[in-house]
Amino acid sequence: MKFLRPRMAKAGLAFSLLAGLLATLYMIKAEALVWHVWHQLHPTDHHGLDLAQYQVSIEAKPLSGYKNLSGITFNRETGTLFAVLNDMGKIIELTTDGVPLREISVQGVDDLEGITHIERDYFAVADERQSQLLLLNIGPETREVSINDAKLFRLGLNERGNKNFEGVSWDSLHHRLIVVKERDPKYVISVTGLYQTEQTQLNGVVVERMPQYDQAIKWVMRDLSEVSHHAQSGHLFLLSDESKLLKQFDESGQPMGSLALWKGFHALHKSIPQPEGVTLDDAGNIYVVSEPNLFYVFKPQSKRPV
């Protein structure tokens, strides 16, 4: 036994050192860093956005008077942005430079997290705590909407909580909503039929898991904060608050590059503290909102076809 004790002590020390190393790597988001560097060194030949060429053009612009920005969407018909505030029950319309234009009060909601523009005056928003989607009509003069006037769909996949559905985006190519669940577990689903188009005349709402993204997000992204579908390329952009990373995927779930939201990357002077929302416009510019009230814009420095 006397001979075993030194060996056991050394083994215990080695285990402690290994555990400490793993903890340190986790804290510095090493897994996200590895994947980000890999994509920069091994660019993928595709028709999406070349995220390696993006630089921040508006950094950490505060939206005074607002807090808890949780989701953002681009309305191509108005050329403006719409963002949700998850503890104020409000939607704010912004210019693409982050200047507030109006406020829309949303009555009867519990925890707004995501928003997406569909077409015309139709928007879908995600209420995380109630695990439900709402279809809202927001016209040019709208200042208030109520849950009583909305088309509502309870997803029914999770109990009430704060780790449920964080983001939503309209996929105009397949006429469906794409929704992300934050974590425990994290995954991507499609919802068809909440908003009916001529191509989707269904008798009800159809919810389907999108398993092609499961493996790709399992290790690299610690959580899913938001999703944005890019119609020009058909690619999906997934945002992770905890990893501070925006990743691009093709329709088969293959990673197509990433945008690191850390200090020193893409001309950022400071890491984005809590990135919660992302959207893209038709020119490929990327808009990110961070809690409590910071606004960012990333633009490509050398354009390539999309």
Side-chain angles (χ1 to χ4, degrees):
M1 293 294 296
K2 292 182 179 180
F3 293 102
L4 291 177
R5 286 176 185 172
R7 293 183 181 178
M8 293 175 63
K10 289 181 179 179
L13 178 60
F15 180 80
S16 298
L17 291 174
L18 178 60
L21 176 61
L22 292 175
T24 301
L25 291 174
Y26 186 83
M27 290 296 291
I28 66 172
K29 302 171 178 60
E31 76 289 347
L33 177 61
V34 168
W35 277 102
H36 177 72
V37 172
W38 171 265
H39 283 303
Q40 305 310 306
L41 297 177
H42 301 83
T44 305
D45 184 18
H46 58 78
H47 298 290
L49 302 182
D50 187 358
L51 297 182
Q53 301 301 321
Y54 276 66
Q55 301 285 302
V56 66
S57 63
I58 298 178
E59 181 175 3
K61 180 178 182 177
L63 302 183
S64 301
Y66 299 106
K67 59 181 180 178
N68 287 352
L69 284 163
S70 294
I72 191 167
T73 187
F74 177 71
N75 183 335
R76 61 172 45 89
E77 297 175 26
T78 62
T80 58
L81 302 163
F82 288 75
V84 291
L85 309 172
N86 71 2
D87 71 337
M88 299 178 72
K90 289 183 179 180
I91 298 171
I92 55 173
E93 184 178 9
L94 308 163
T95 69
T96 53
D97 292 328
V99 177
L101 297 173
R102 64 167 163 158
E103 299 179 6
I104 300 109
S105 177
V106 185
Q107 302 296 323
V109 294
D110 193 8
D111 185 19
L112 289 180
E113 286 290 349
I115 183 170
T116 186
H117 176 248
I118 300 176
E119 63 177 0
R120 302 195 297 276
D121 296 336
Y122 290 99
F123 293 78
V125 297
D127 183 346
E128 181 183 21
R129 200 170 304 279
Q130 294 289 346
S131 187
Q132 62 188 6
L133 297 173
L134 290 81
L135 183 65
L136 302 176
N137 190 301
I138 301 175
E141 306 301 324
T142 301
R143 295 286 178 171
E144 181 176 314
V145 291
S146 171
I147 191 174
N148 297 324
D149 301 321
K151 184 177 180 181
L152 184 150
F153 178 69
R154 180 70 62 82
L155 288 164
L157 300 176
N158 295 275
E159 298 178 356
R160 287 170 57 93
N162 197 39
K163 301 298 180 185
N164 284 330
F165 297 98
E166 277 276 321
V168 58
S169 184
W170 176 248
D171 175 359
S172 60
L173 300 179
H174 301 94
H175 313 289
R176 63 188 177 184
L177 292 165
I178 299 178
V179 183
V180 293
K181 183 179 179 296
E182 183 178 6
R183 58 183 303 171
D184 303 329
K186 55 182 179 287
Y187 53 78
V188 184
I189 63 172
S190 70
V191 179
T192 307
L194 181 65
Y195 177 77
Q196 297 281 1
T197 68
E198 293 182 359
Q199 293 82 4
T200 57
Q201 295 299 317
L202 305 176
N203 294 325
V205 179
V206 178
V207 179
E208 295 179 308
R209 181 85 168 251
M210 301 180 74
Q212 65 266 39
Y213 301 104
D214 287 352
Q215 193 61 37
I217 65 177
K218 183 176 182 179
W219 302 110
V220 182
M221 309 185 80
R222 298 183 187 178
D223 69 341
L224 296 176
S225 300
E226 183 63 286
V227 56
S228 185
H229 183 267
H230 185 240
Q232 285 81 353
S233 64
H235 289 183
L236 203 64
F237 289 77
L238 296 177
L239 175 67
S240 172
D241 158 32
E242 294 185 18
S243 297
K244 298 188 188 302
L245 195 68
L246 176 68
K247 288 190 67 66
Q248 178 180 197
F249 298 89
D250 68 11
E251 291 190 80
S252 67
Q254 292 299 311
M256 292 289 163
S258 60
L259 187 77
L261 307 179
W262 315 313
K263 177 182 178 180
F265 290 81
H266 306 284
L268 283 168
H269 293 91
K270 292 184 178 180
S271 297
I272 299 182
Q274 192 173 344
E276 290 283 346
V278 66
T279 192
L280 297 90
D281 64 19
D282 289 345
N285 299 314
I286 298 173
Y287 304 87
V288 176
V289 290
S290 165
E291 288 194 13
N293 65 344
L294 300 180
F295 176 82
Y296 298 77
V297 181
F298 293 85
K299 294 185 177 183
Q301 298 305 294
S302 59
K303 292 185 178 294
R304 57 182 289 179
V306 298

